[in-house]
Amino acid sequence: MSASAPASGARTAGRAAVLLALAADAVLVIAFAAIGRASHDSDVWTGLWQTAWPFLAGLGIGWLVVRAWRAPAAPVRTGLGVWAITVGGGMLLRWASGQGTAIAFIIVASLTLLVALVGWRVIVTVVRRVRPR
């Protein structure tokens, strides 16, 4: 980065890293929905969008609220906020659209998405720290 680059550029990750992080989050949310549907003997493909859209919307809101593009791989600064808003927003949208929000589902979704959305960020952070320079 050049000395004349704006300060905001110093805090913003590269475009490719941001897009990769956003894609990883979206794929993990869709995988969560697909696995959930499959585990209940549901037709995965037919109802996948119905199950996934509330969480994908929550994910989008989470990315905006925490400004995830500034540090897309940060487990605490980005991951925890994106996770909390994805789960909270997803559950509110499921409730508003007449989908189930049983306590057991809230617990399973919260833990699964915590491992997924924060977990990959922890792995990236550890690999970056132990990787020889």
Side-chain angles (χ1 to χ4, degrees):
M1 185 154 126
S2 70
S4 63
S8 64
R11 289 177 283 183
T12 303
R15 183 175 297 177
V18 170
L19 291 175
L20 185 59
L22 180 58
D25 283 349
V27 165
L28 289 167
V29 167
I30 292 167
F32 155 74
I35 292 166
R37 292 194 60 78
S39 71
H40 292 287
D41 295 325
S42 299
D43 181 3
V44 173
W45 299 112
T46 302
L48 183 59
W49 175 248
Q50 178 184 356
T51 303
W53 81 261
F55 296 101
L56 289 171
L59 177 69
I61 294 165
W63 263 72
L64 291 173
V65 169
V66 304
R67 298 178 181 179
W69 58 89
R70 291 186 173 189
V76 175
R77 183 211 179 287
T78 302
L80 288 177
V82 166
W83 162 72
I85 296 168
T86 299
V87 172
M91 290 301 169
L92 285 173
L93 289 168
R94 281 181 62 87
W95 173 79
S97 64
Q99 297 184 51
T101 54
I103 295 297
F105 176 68
I106 293 171
I107 292 168
V108 169
S110 297
L111 294 175
T112 302
L113 289 172
L114 175 66
V115 169
L117 298 176
V118 178
W120 77 258
R121 289 174 166 91
V122 169
I123 292 167
V124 166
T125 300
V126 169
V127 167
R128 284 180 178 166
R129 287 185 182 162
V130 300
R131 180 178 55 180
R133 299 196 187 242

